[in-house]
Amino acid sequence: MPSPKPPAHAWHGHSIWCITQATLDLPALLSAWAQWQTDPERPALLHVLAVAACAPTRQDLQNAANAQPKHAALVGELTGQCWGLLPGMHRLRLNGGQVLLTLCVGSPADHAPLLARYPTGPCTPSTAGHPLGERTVTVLGSGIAGAGTARALAERGWQVTVLDAGNTPAAGASGLPVGLVAPHTSPDDSLISRLSRAGVRTMQHAMRTLLQEGTDWGPSGVQERRLPGKTRKGGAPQSWSHELAEAGEAWTCAASPPAPPNALWHAKGAWLRPARLVHALLQHPNIRWQGQANADALRAVDTAQGTAWQVLQQGQVLAQSARVVVACGPGSAALLASATHQANTLPIRPLRGQISWGLMAEVTAPVPTAGMGMGTSRRTGARQAQPQQPGFELADMWPAMPVNGNGSFVHSVPTELGPAWFAGSSFDRVNGQPVVLPADHADNLARLQALLPDMAQALAPVFANGARGWAGVRCSVPDRLPVVGPVAHASESLWVVAAMGSRGLTLALLCGELLAAHWHGEPLPLEAQLAQALDANRFKHLSSASATHQNQHKGQP
């Protein structure tokens, strides 16, 4: 006789479900997670929104495992995510990212409005927004912002077409050979500092889930050196050295000697080959990528299902979908202008950067004398020579970890030609073309001289003989924050994710998740204040002023 069918769960028939806990209840969280895992009719995404006056400790988690031994594996996975839980909001990605715990650390009263906005039940878009309707979307641009947005939507059931002008994904600025993922710090824990930590946590999950460690990325940590007159003043908040020491040091602490006294150690920093991540993000059955698609205009059309968007190339339709996301870096401004008929829809400006690089095998150094001893400091990011006889090997000069400050330096990155070093990048707001310039090689060497003098001395002959180079063009807006949201003066089915500036590797995936959460009425992956700071409509007054100016001068000679 077949066993009776278990009673239907309230989440059956819903694609995204939220469980809200006014006070974090670990046993209930684990039980719901376990039930979700075994339910064939479970929602695609399970959100748990919980408030904890204090972050759960390892002992709290161990007690939960002892009380529910059958959930020990789940506790182990949760424990691996419970690092750096400073006061504020944290998005912990469990079960491959299908179970999303949004943990708010702090006073329950401070988070009461958030809990009221997302009660236990299905996640549904706001009735004030554009209805989801047909779930087709075209994403313009397959850099890390476009690919991250496409992946977030594909995982929520959207049929995604990604169009790119290049021959391969990551053909633009996201094609840089290597970059660093690291948090920003400031004594007052500013908006960008909190935003960057949310971005690093998002990237950590993506890199560990989708990439091969040691080949595509490395959890190396990053040392930050603060150079007089070159880098901003500041450091981590004082509370990170006192009452929040454990959580704070999981993110950033003072680097140990012989690093400079004001150097910082970012334990969760990493190096990344961005193109590898872009390709991995696009590997989803709901995503179709098309290259050599030189979109030059957007056009809204009426259909039986409502307003749709056509993507055009010289008047020919490349794609039509219910929604469009513009994520093509410097090219975003022109496309948005074609859709809104506003010249200054967003004040996006190009930001060119150049990296200098070379093969480690091509670098030479004086032959050492016998007896040279070496040690390695994890926090200093530098190899430590023991005070024996003078002389050194080249290996003695390579820093043990990536170093950034005014520019950055990374080495031992695997490439098709062999292990390589990389220095840069330059910042050029004048030249908007991705061309390698000799002057920028000289600038990168000067930055390296200030950052790592011994390394610069060893690499000077390489620069003199012609270092290899790579150049790309990013984009930014005046406040140097990304833009995420519906486009002003257009249907709410047209959105933009752009202007990552020099923090694209840290923030792009977070921005894609933010867009997807907005569309589906999910708990946001970051605090409301931070999400509001990224809203594309913060520049609406500029485009309105431009439209007024144009109207006033119509017909004038």
Side-chain angles (χ1 to χ4, degrees), residues 97 109 345:
T345 303

Side-chain angles (χ1 to χ4, degrees), residues 444-507:
N444 285 338
L445 179 59
R447 289 186 180 89
L448 186 60
Q449 176 65 42
L451 191 67
L452 295 167
D454 290 344
M455 200 71 252
Q457 182 179 0
L459 295 178
V462 179
F463 278 88
N465 293 327
R468 292 173 170 87
W470 176 93
V473 182
R474 303 159 289 186
C475 68
S476 63
V477 291
D479 62 10
R480 300 184 182 180
L481 294 175
V483 290
V484 182
V487 177
H489 310 295
S491 161
E492 286 197 11
S493 54
L494 176 62
W495 281 57
V496 61
V497 177
M500 302 294 146
S502 60
R503 300 189 183 278
L505 299 189
T506 300
L507 301 179

Side-chain angles (χ1 to χ4, degrees), residues 68-431:
Q68 298 175 290
K70 62 182 179 180
H71 298 328
L74 302 184
V75 173
E77 183 175 349
L78 179 59
T79 301
Q81 297 283 332
C82 287
W83 50 266
L85 298 179
L86 294 161
M89 179 185 288
H90 305 272
R91 170 62 58 84
L92 310 186
R93 296 160 181 86
L94 307 166
N95 220 103
Q98 291 180 286
V99 176
L100 302 172
L101 170 59
T102 304
L103 182 61
C104 304
V105 179
S107 168
D110 293 340
H111 299 286
L114 180 66
L115 300 178
R117 182 175 180 182
Y118 301 103
T120 295
C123 293
T124 55
S126 169
T127 56
H130 190 81
L132 288 181
E134 178 188 345
R135 296 199 180 189
T136 59
V137 60
T138 303
V139 176
L140 299 176
S142 63
I144 193 168
T149 302
R151 182 63 176 241
L153 294 174
E155 290 176 344
R156 289 161 173 80
W158 289 78
Q159 296 300 311
V160 186
T161 298
V162 180
L163 302 181
D164 197 283
N167 295 323
T168 63
S174 294
L176 77 161
V178 69
L180 296 183
V181 177
H184 177 282
T185 58
S186 55
D188 60 350
D189 203 23
S190 66
L191 183 148
I192 187 60
S193 296
R194 289 179 285 148
L195 188 64
S196 72
R197 291 200 300 275
V200 168
R201 193 182 287 274
T202 304
M203 285 294 293
Q204 279 279 339
H205 175 264
M207 293 186 294
R208 293 182 183 279
T209 303
L210 299 174
L211 301 181
Q212 181 177 346
E213 183 179 323
T215 300
D216 303 329
W217 78 292
S220 54
V222 172
Q223 183 193 118
E224 179 182 345
R225 296 193 176 187
R226 316 182 74 78
L227 307 178
K230 296 293 184 181
T231 52
R232 56 189 166 74
K233 297 179 179 179
Q238 289 188 354
S239 60
W240 291 18
S241 301
H242 303 290
E243 63 269 24
L244 299 175
E246 183 176 356
E249 288 194 0
W251 287 104
T252 301
C253 61
S256 302
N262 60 353
L264 301 175
W265 170 247
H266 303 300
K268 296 299 180 180
W271 61 263
L272 168 68
R273 298 173 71 183
R276 298 294 184 97
L277 180 58
V278 168
H279 282 268
L281 290 166
L282 294 174
Q283 294 302 309
H284 191 283
N286 289 348
I287 298 176
R288 181 181 71 88
W289 182 86
Q290 178 182 336
Q292 296 183 315
N294 294 285
D296 53 26
L298 300 173
R299 180 170 65 198
V301 295
D302 293 328
T303 70
Q305 292 76 34
T307 302
W309 284 94
Q310 293 179 337
V311 181
L312 308 176
Q313 178 178 333
Q314 296 181 347
Q316 300 297 312
V317 178
L318 293 174
Q320 178 172 314
S321 55
R323 296 193 177 193
V324 165
V325 178
V326 178
C328 47
S332 300
L335 282 170
L336 296 176
S338 75
T340 63
H341 307 290
Q342 304 280 342
N344 295 313
T345 303
L346 283 174
I348 293 176
R349 300 292 182 267
L351 175 61
R352 178 186 158 279
Q354 180 172 314
I355 289 176
S356 305
W357 70 282
L359 300 178
M360 296 175 69
E362 297 174 346
V363 182
T364 59
V367 177
T369 57
M372 188 66 179
M374 285 299 302
T376 300
S377 168
R378 180 168 177 80
R379 283 191 181 181
T380 64
R383 297 189 182 273
Q384 299 169 290
Q386 306 302 321
Q388 299 181 21
Q389 298 181 15
F392 57 88
E393 295 183 9
L394 178 63
D396 300 344
M397 296 186 308
W398 300 110
M401 301 296 172
V403 180
N404 71 358
N406 181 34
S408 63
F409 184 78
V410 192
H411 69 85
S412 300
V413 177
T415 73
E416 289 72 14
L417 299 176
W421 58 266
F422 297 85
S425 158
S426 60
F427 291 86
D428 182 353
R429 298 184 182 276
V430 177
N431 187 343

Side-chain angles (χ1 to χ4, degrees), residues 31-50:
S31 295
W33 181 4
Q35 184 179 9
W36 176 88
Q37 284 185 324
T38 58
D39 188 345
E41 300 181 56
R42 63 182 177 265
L45 288 178
L46 175 62
H47 281 272
V48 179
L49 174 60

